[in-house]
Amino acid sequence: MSNQKVRKGEELPELPLKKYLKEINLIDDIQSDLNIVQYTHGYSNLTYLLQIEGKEFVLRKPPKGAIKRGHDMGREFKVQKAVASQFSKVPKMYGFSNDETILGSDFYIMEKVEGIILNYKEAQKRKISVNDYQIIANSWLDTLVSLHNVDYKAVGLTDLGKPEGYVERQVTNWGKQYLKAKTDEYPEAEMVMDWMQKNQPKTYNYCLIHNDFKYDNVVFKDDSWQEISAVLDWEMATLGDPFMDLGTSLGYWTVATDHEFVKQGIPSPTIFEGNPIRSEIAQQYIQNSGRTTESLVFYYVFGLFKIAVIAQQIYYRYSKGWTTDPRFTNLNKAAELCCKLALKAIKTKSID
């Protein structure tokens, strides 16, 4: 077996994994070599490419020291399996296991979807044209609208979340999670939390939402950019307010006019010319989905705060030595930055 490009402490054991692949009928010959490559662009759950007998599969598992909430492999597996009947842009699910004697945690195996994952480095390398970015943004947004149109009752996901009171619960829970993972004093974080408590919308619609919908969580079929083959990273999917989903996307949507530190802290292909600005994406979503809101600034502020908490939680694990990934060294600064951006949006009453 080769654990190529696998971070220290995050290796996978060969024999129990090969046995499991055989049990779920993905391979026949247990003598074959297993090659393992770790995907390194994600910041949350660990993702690996498994290569055996000329076949390729993808494995997902939680990181060491992770709490069950937000790293629930069974839930992630269930959602993708269920939505496939109405929303074809998901990888095929092959098997889920909660037998911790295999890898020391829950995990699942899914199809490897071929195509292009457009993270910042990939976008830089490809030198994508202005016109192509307009196509990319449209394909991405159409996919989000389509995802929000899934009839969650018809696909058996009624028990996925409690949509009533969703916004209030999210504001409270993310605030609690921030305080639990806090390592430094950032007055901006407390100010944002206080503002969100007082300015959250009281009425809203709900549907199936992804909660981490950004360019590098979709797989484009090819460089015509007109089709998305799969949406990835469903760990935070639930039933809730679709504008909370859009708000998170807007939080990641850095643009060329943002401060240099912002563009470094949240590197995204959205900064390149041809991409719409945040208000244009929001208006396009409203037009395409037929949904309306008076609270765009709130949703953007919430999205930024949520990203701040996620960064802070990862930094907390890093500060405890539970992960050694060098990319996590300055994530506390990224958390502070997101809170400062949120305050700026509150003061200017603008998402741009």
Side-chain angles (χ1 to χ4, degrees):
M1 178 188 75
S2 167
N3 265 289
Q4 286 182 350
K5 299 178 191 165
V6 175
R7 286 189 290 264
K8 192 176 177 189
E10 295 177 355
E11 300 87 356
L12 300 179
E14 178 183 14
L15 291 177
L17 188 50
K18 275 166 58 170
K19 190 179 170 197
Y20 177 75
L21 291 172
K22 191 174 181 187
E23 276 170 17
I24 61 169
N25 300 315
L26 288 180
I27 58 168
D28 301 318
D29 185 4
I30 206 162
Q31 302 307 314
S32 302
D33 282 339
L34 176 62
N35 186 48
I36 300 172
V37 181
Q38 187 173 26
Y39 290 104
T40 54
H41 73 275
Y43 278 76
S44 185
N45 290 324
L46 306 180
T47 310
Y48 302 83
L49 175 65
L50 310 180
Q51 297 169 314
I52 189 165
E53 272 192 18
K55 297 176 182 178
E56 293 188 317
F57 311 106
V58 171
L59 181 147
R60 293 260 291 168
K61 72 183 289 295
K64 188 178 176 185
I67 50 168
K68 183 83 169 177
R69 182 189 174 94
H71 299 279
D72 188 335
M73 296 295 102
R75 192 170 181 278
E76 199 174 319
F77 180 83
K78 173 189 167 180
V79 173
Q80 291 173 90
K81 201 170 170 66
V83 298
S85 61
Q86 271 194 31
F87 182 78
S88 61
K89 302 175 190 300
V90 277
K92 286 190 189 74
M93 296 292 111
Y94 292 133
F96 162 75
S97 176
N98 57 7
D99 179 356
E100 296 193 3
T101 63
I102 302 173
L103 301 184
S105 68
D106 293 3
F107 67 93
Y108 69 91
I109 311 272
M110 64 180 171
E111 168 194 23
K112 184 196 177 215
V113 178
E114 297 298 334
I116 304 162
I117 294 176
L118 197 60
N119 57 26
Y120 180 75
K121 282 184 182 168
E122 186 68 25
Q124 251 186 335
K125 197 170 72 184
R126 286 179 176 269
K127 297 182 169 57
I128 297 162
S129 74
V130 169
N131 286 345
D132 277 351
Y133 270 120
Q134 289 164 354
I135 296 166
I136 288 165
N138 285 335
S139 301
W140 176 88
L141 192 75
D142 287 346
T143 303
L144 181 63
V145 171
S146 166
L147 192 158
H148 287 170
N149 285 335
V150 168
D151 183 344
Y152 66 84
K153 291 176 184 171
V155 300
L157 290 175
T158 316
D159 62 346
L160 187 64
K162 297 174 187 158
E164 292 85 0
Y166 176 78
V167 172
E168 187 181 0
R169 226 170 28 249
Q170 288 294 295
V171 169
T172 301
N173 289 345
W174 283 97
K176 282 179 182 169
Q177 286 182 60
Y178 171 76
L179 294 172
K180 202 172 172 184
K182 187 168 143 179
T183 51
D184 303 270
E185 284 299 330
Y186 300 135
E188 294 87 353
E190 268 83 359
M191 289 160 79
V192 171
M193 284 156 62
D194 184 55
W195 183 87
M196 287 193 301
Q197 285 289 358
K198 292 171 182 166
N199 291 275
Q200 57 190 280
K202 300 297 179 197
T203 57
Y204 46 86
N205 296 315
Y206 51 82
C207 60
L208 173 69
I209 60 177
H210 180 272
N211 264 330
D212 201 17
F213 196 84
K214 50 197 173 90
Y215 277 179
D216 63 357
N217 273 342
V218 301
V219 183
F220 286 92
K221 186 178 179 183
D222 52 42
D223 63 5
S224 74
W225 308 111
Q226 294 184 4
E227 190 180 335
I228 285 173
S229 301
V231 176
L232 308 175
D233 287 10
W234 290 74
E235 64 201 70
M236 292 193 281
T238 190
L239 306 180
D241 179 351
F243 281 102
M244 295 286 260
D245 211 358
L246 181 69
T248 301
S249 299
L250 293 173
Y252 284 114
W253 198 277
T254 47
V255 294
T257 52
D258 283 333
H259 190 281
E260 210 52 48
F261 190 47
V262 176
K263 291 186 279 190
Q264 286 171 16
I266 311 172
S268 168
T270 53
I271 68 159
F272 296 116
E273 192 185 351
N275 284 286
I277 58 174
R278 286 184 286 269
S279 57
E280 288 170 340
I281 274 289
Q283 289 312 316
Q284 199 179 332
Y285 175 83
I286 287 166
Q287 190 181 324
N288 293 11
S289 68
R291 304 174 192 270
T292 56
T293 181
E294 302 288 309
S295 307
L296 268 180
V297 170
F298 167 82
Y299 291 116
Y300 175 54
V301 165
F302 172 79
L304 284 169
F305 183 72
K306 190 169 104 172
I307 295 165
V309 177
I310 293 166
Q312 184 59 43
Q313 286 175 324
I314 298 169
Y315 180 76
Y316 180 81
R317 287 206 305 272
Y318 176 82
S319 71
K320 296 283 181 191
W322 294 337
T323 176
T324 56
D325 190 329
R327 293 176 306 156
F328 301 162
T329 314
N330 294 314
L331 281 183
N332 57 333
K333 300 292 181 202
E336 181 186 20
L337 169 69
C338 285
C339 292
K340 285 182 172 173
L341 287 176
L343 274 187
K344 182 188 167 195
I346 292 165
K347 283 171 185 164
T348 60
K349 297 182 180 169
S350 168
I351 67 172
D352 287 326

